[in-house]
Amino acid sequence: MTDVNLETLIAEKLIGNSPIMQQLRTIVNFAGRCNSSILITGPSGSGKEVVAEAIHAISDRRNATNIAVNCGALPDQLIESELFGHEKGSFTGAVNRHVGLFEQADGGTIFLDEIGDMPINMQVKLLRVLETRIVNRVGGNRNIGVDIRVIAATHQNLRECINNKSFREDLYYRLCVVPIEVPALSERTEDIPELVAHFLSNLGGSSPLPIFTKEAFAALQHYDWPGNVRELRNAIERACVFFSGKQVFAEDVAKLIHSDIAPAHPTGGATASTATDRSLKDQYAPHIADQALPVFEPRGDDVRDLNLHLQHEERRIIMRALDGSHGVVSRAARSINIKRTTLIDKMRKHNIDGRVAEPMDCQVTA
């Protein structure tokens, strides 16, 4: 694979041209050329598995198996069997021989997601496999050699886990030969237009796609995205459902983010014009190849201060949620799909106490 092809493949998987993403693509390019263990860190939803897929796709192992496993999703009593396999009759319920994921990934890559959640006793066994490249099935006595590339990922601070004795220091150094940190979306908001275009091109179906106005785009960049790229993708997919063929305005973004869906423009006044009512899949396809910004339609209302408008809109949603929950904060938080502590912080920010209040329709005028 030529350098040009490598860069093209990486760019297709790791969307965005911010400086921090350009640096990430450079690191991934180097990581794909080596065979060392890799530790990917970053907040939940930032795209750690996508980075792992990109590394495998540009490596010499790209034609072999790439297996992903979430260490936190495997029960403690089954994780050894799942990873390393077991022999028939080795324990109650083992009616057949099972080939573990490490054996299945022989010649390819195994991605150990949420490695920080792996039980401490399993960390010892994983360390041995990483050092010897030999697995032993549960209940077996045969050494089975495996040729694998190990990529691990976690959202946790493994240094802190080492200090509190929940993660082995020797395993950390064995995994962290090539460290890669994936940035939070809030650190690269300039990439949001390209991410939106990418998601829309993949979500395009028989229904017309939503059209994001410039103000909606600015609102997306203003939000801090605690769920990162995963949360953005969910919001864009939600827009495809509820704003198909319609313009998405700044006030609609808050509804999309907080799952407070009630399309603000059900009548024809805010639908796309004939010129823009065509499928947007063709509109966004050239964007991915040419790295151009998507076209956002102008808005025709009188919002002059976007930040102030978003603050009023957020306060209105919180007040309505509190009113609907009769002042019960935990219930209000669930109704708008945020954590209770997050809602309390926002209530303090907007100077809202816990008493039942009538919802407010705040209008921002010139």
Side-chain angles (χ1 to χ4, degrees):
M1 185 178 292
T2 66
D3 289 344
V4 174
N5 290 337
L6 284 174
E7 292 177 3
T8 301
L9 182 58
I10 294 173
E12 289 176 351
K13 288 184 173 292
L14 305 179
I15 308 299
N17 274 313
S18 61
I20 198 168
M21 283 303 291
Q22 292 179 25
Q23 181 182 21
L24 177 61
R25 284 200 292 268
T26 299
I27 296 172
V28 167
N29 197 348
F30 281 108
R33 300 169 188 261
C34 71
N35 199 41
S36 303
S37 297
I38 295 172
L39 180 62
I40 305 173
T41 57
S44 295
S46 58
K48 297 185 290 295
E49 186 168 357
V50 175
V51 171
E53 290 173 354
I55 293 171
H56 174 78
I58 66 173
S59 72
D60 292 337
R61 300 174 180 268
R62 57 184 171 272
N63 295 322
T65 305
N66 179 29
I67 293 178
V69 54
N70 189 318
C71 298
L74 295 175
D76 291 357
Q77 63 271 26
L78 295 179
I79 186 170
E80 182 177 5
S81 172
E82 285 298 311
L83 293 180
F84 307 135
H86 65 254
E87 298 291 349
K88 180 179 179 180
S90 57
F91 55 85
T92 302
V95 295
N96 293 301
R97 170 185 289 177
H98 171 66
V99 177
L101 296 176
F102 270 74
E103 281 187 74
Q104 294 178 38
D106 188 30
T109 303
I110 188 165
F111 174 57
L112 303 175
D113 198 8
E114 298 303 345
I115 189 70
D117 293 334
M118 178 174 284
I120 196 76
N121 63 313
M122 270 304 304
Q123 294 178 26
V124 179
K125 297 174 182 179
L126 175 60
L127 177 62
R128 180 183 177 278
V129 172
L130 294 178
E131 290 176 339
T132 64
R133 290 299 196 264
I134 292 174
V135 299
N136 297 97
R137 295 174 186 155
V138 176
N141 55 16
R142 184 165 63 94
N143 292 335
I144 303 171
V146 289
D147 172 25
I148 52 173
R149 165 35 117 51
V150 178
I151 303 176
T154 182
H155 72 280
Q156 300 184 45
N157 186 328
L158 291 187
R159 291 286 189 178
E160 292 182 0
C161 295
I162 291 170
N163 291 337
N164 62 33
K165 308 300 182 183
S166 63
F167 200 83
R168 293 182 61 94
E169 186 173 19
D170 47 5
L171 177 59
Y172 171 80
Y173 288 116
R174 175 60 66 177
L175 290 171
C176 194
V177 178
V178 180
I180 298 178
E181 183 174 0
V182 182
L185 183 56
S186 59
E187 298 177 45
R188 58 184 191 104
T189 55
E190 61 266 49
D191 292 331
I192 287 178
E194 293 179 67
L195 287 166
V196 170
H198 173 71
F199 294 144
L200 286 175
S201 66
N202 289 333
L203 292 168
S206 57
S207 300
L209 294 177
I211 301 170
F212 286 80
T213 64
K214 292 180 180 179
E215 288 79 9
F217 171 45
L220 290 171
Q221 291 184 301
H222 178 80
Y223 182 56
D224 57 3
W225 298 107
N228 294 288
V229 179
R230 182 185 295 127
E231 184 182 8
L232 174 63
R233 188 189 189 282
N234 288 345
I236 301 308
E237 186 170 358
R238 202 171 289 132
C240 291
V241 174
F242 291 98
F243 294 89
S244 175
K246 297 184 175 73
Q247 289 180 311
V248 179
F249 298 103
E251 63 267 25
D252 299 325
V253 169
K255 299 182 179 72
L256 293 171
I257 291 172
H258 296 298
S259 304
D260 184 20
I261 299 296
H265 313 289
T267 61
T271 57
S273 64
T274 304
T276 58
D277 200 27
R278 68 186 188 280
S279 171
L280 295 185
K281 190 170 184 179
D282 292 336
Q283 176 182 346
Y284 284 111
H287 148 74
I288 296 175
D290 300 337
Q291 298 299 311
L293 290 178
V295 175
F296 294 94
E297 295 300 318
R299 175 178 183 156
D301 62 16
D302 59 352
V303 171
R304 305 294 176 85
D305 187 326
L306 178 62
N307 290 333
L308 183 60
H309 176 81
L310 289 174
Q311 291 175 25
H312 278 289
E313 182 68 14
E314 185 176 73
R315 189 178 197 278
R316 183 188 66 80
I317 291 172
I318 291 172
M319 294 288 285
R320 187 168 65 183
L322 288 169
D323 180 64
S325 67
H326 303 289
V328 179
V329 175
S330 58
R331 189 184 303 165
R334 285 195 299 271
S335 72
I336 56 177
N337 198 28
I338 62 175
K339 294 180 180 178
R340 179 178 179 275
T341 52
T342 302
L343 178 56
I344 291 173
D345 289 340
K346 291 183 180 294
M347 288 170 64
R348 292 193 186 114
K349 169 186 170 183
H350 294 291
N351 197 27
I352 301 172
D353 60 23
R355 293 173 298 178
V356 179
E358 292 296 325
M360 298 173 59
D361 289 321
C362 299
Q363 300 291 333
V364 179
T365 58

